[in-house]
Amino acid sequence: MDWTTLDHPPQFAPLYWRAALKRRITGSHLPEQGFRCRVSVNPEQVAAYRQVCGFADSPMLPATYPQVLAFGLQLKLLTAPSFPFPLLGLVHLRNRIRVYRPLGAVSELTIAVHAHHLKPHAKGATFELVTTAEDALGLLWEAQSRMLCRGVKLDGAAADDALPTPTQVSELTRWKAPADIGRRYARVSGDYNPIHLSALTARLFGFPQAIAHGLWNKARTLAALGEHLPAANIEIEVEFKKPVRLPSEVTLHASVAGPSGQLWLKGSGEIEHMVGRWRPIG
C-alpha cells in the first residue's frame, strides 16, 4: 500500500467539484493507495452531530462519529485520479464498525482510509472502503463500507453473503425521518450527496424523493439502542435494504440488551430498510 500522509484534513469543496466532473468508469482495478491524517475532535461539532442523530450527552464519542472525521479523506481517495469509479452513483450496501476500546477522552486521532477487495456483483462490482482510527495506544476503531459501482464487468461469480433475517426481535421504538434530515445531516457530516438534500436534486439521479443517508439511519439506530450495546469490544454490522424516503416514519425492532443481538429497521407496509447485528469482536 502506498500511503500519503496529509498535514491537515482535505477541504471538501474542490473534492466535490472533482466528483462532479468525473462521470465515467475508467478502469477495473483499485489503486494501491491510501491516505492518512491527524484530526482533532471538536466538542461543538460532536454536540451538533449528537443532536441530529439523537444521541444522548455522554463522555463517549458515538460509535459512528469517526466516520464523520474520516469523510474528507474518503472523498480524497474516491475522487483521486487513480480511482477508477465515479463517486456520484456509488451505492452504500453495507457497513461494519468495530470499537476496540471505549471512545472516551478522545481529542486527537490518526485516521487512515484505503479501498480493497474488488469483487463481482450481480449489478456491477463491489469494493470495501476501509477506515481506521488510532490513538496513542494503537488501533481504537475500524469501519468497512461495502460500495457498489454499477456497470463494472469482472470475471467470476457474484457472492451471496447477505446478513440473515433477524429473529427473536421485538419493537423497541419508532421515529420520524423528517423532510429536512438529509440537509441537517449533511451540515454535521459534510456528505452533501444530492440524493439526500431535496426531492428536486434526488430526481436528477432517479429518485422520486430525497432519501435519508444510510449512515444517519445507522447512527439514529445506535442512538435508540443506547445502553443496549456494550461500549467496546463490539462489532456492529448493518446491511442497507430499501432507502428511507423523506419524510417518513420507521420502526426499530431489536433483540434484548446484551453482548450480541440483531436489529431490524422497517417502514410502513413492513418495508425493510436495514438489517443488522452486533456481537463481540472475534
Side-chain angles (χ1 to χ4, degrees):
M1 184 67 60
D2 182 14
W3 287 99
T4 299
T5 301
L6 306 181
D7 294 331
H8 51 78
Q11 297 294 313
F12 289 170
L15 299 178
Y16 273 121
W17 179 247
R18 188 184 296 173
L21 293 177
K22 183 172 181 177
R23 306 303 292 269
R24 295 187 302 108
I25 296 169
T26 57
S28 58
H29 297 280
L30 296 176
E32 290 289 321
Q33 182 179 26
F35 292 98
R36 56 192 169 200
C37 184
R38 190 83 172 158
V39 300
S40 298
V41 178
N42 182 316
E44 292 182 358
Q45 292 173 354
V46 176
Y49 177 84
R50 288 186 191 281
Q51 184 176 28
V52 169
C53 298
F55 287 101
D57 288 340
S58 169
M60 304 289 181
L61 285 181
T64 46
Y65 191 71
Q67 300 253 191
V68 173
L69 297 175
F71 187 65
L73 284 179
Q74 293 172 345
L75 277 183
K76 189 167 183 66
L77 177 70
L78 297 175
T79 60
S82 59
F83 204 83
F85 310 136
L87 174 60
L88 292 177
L90 291 180
V91 181
H92 195 174
L93 299 180
R94 198 156 164 169
N95 178 267
R96 184 187 73 194
I97 287 173
R98 288 177 169 171
V99 182
Y100 292 95
R101 289 177 282 112
L103 299 177
V106 177
S107 60
E108 283 194 329
L109 291 169
T110 298
I111 303 291
V113 302
H114 71 279
H116 66 177
H117 290 172
L118 184 64
K119 295 180 178 179
H121 185 275
K123 296 181 179 179
T126 62
F127 63 91
E128 302 288 341
L129 180 63
V130 181
T131 306
T132 59
E134 296 185 0
D135 63 5
L137 298 177
L139 184 62
L140 178 65
W141 177 98
E142 181 181 26
Q144 286 193 342
S145 292
R146 182 171 300 173
M147 311 300 293
L148 167 67
C149 182
R150 294 186 177 96
V152 181
K153 300 186 184 302
L154 297 178
D155 293 334
D160 182 11
D161 61 346
L163 291 181
T165 299
T167 58
Q168 297 182 326
V169 295
S170 58
E171 181 176 335
L172 181 67
T173 187
R174 58 181 60 198
W175 61 82
K176 295 185 184 297
D180 67 343
I181 196 61
R183 296 187 293 276
R184 290 170 56 201
Y185 184 76
R187 286 194 288 270
V188 299
S189 69
D191 187 350
Y192 282 89
N193 189 320
I195 64 176
H196 304 304
L197 303 181
S198 70
L200 180 63
T201 55
R203 289 190 199 107
L204 298 175
F205 294 87
F207 293 90
Q209 298 165 252
I211 62 174
H213 294 73
L215 287 176
W216 180 79
N217 292 330
K218 184 172 184 178
R220 184 66 185 84
T221 295
L222 297 192
L225 288 170
E227 295 182 359
H228 244 65
L229 309 178
N233 189 36
I234 183 174
E235 173 183 292
I236 311 159
E237 185 170 21
V238 300
E239 185 174 331
F240 302 113
K241 300 286 193 177
K242 297 289 186 181
V244 175
R245 295 184 179 184
L246 302 177
S248 62
E249 184 177 70
V250 297
T251 304
L252 175 62
H253 301 255
S255 308
V256 297
S260 62
Q262 295 179 308
L263 61 91
W264 203 353
L265 191 66
K266 294 183 178 182
S268 61
E270 294 295 292
I271 295 174
E272 280 190 315
H273 292 308
M274 188 173 73
V275 299
R277 63 190 176 193
W278 69 90
R279 58 188 179 180
I281 296 171

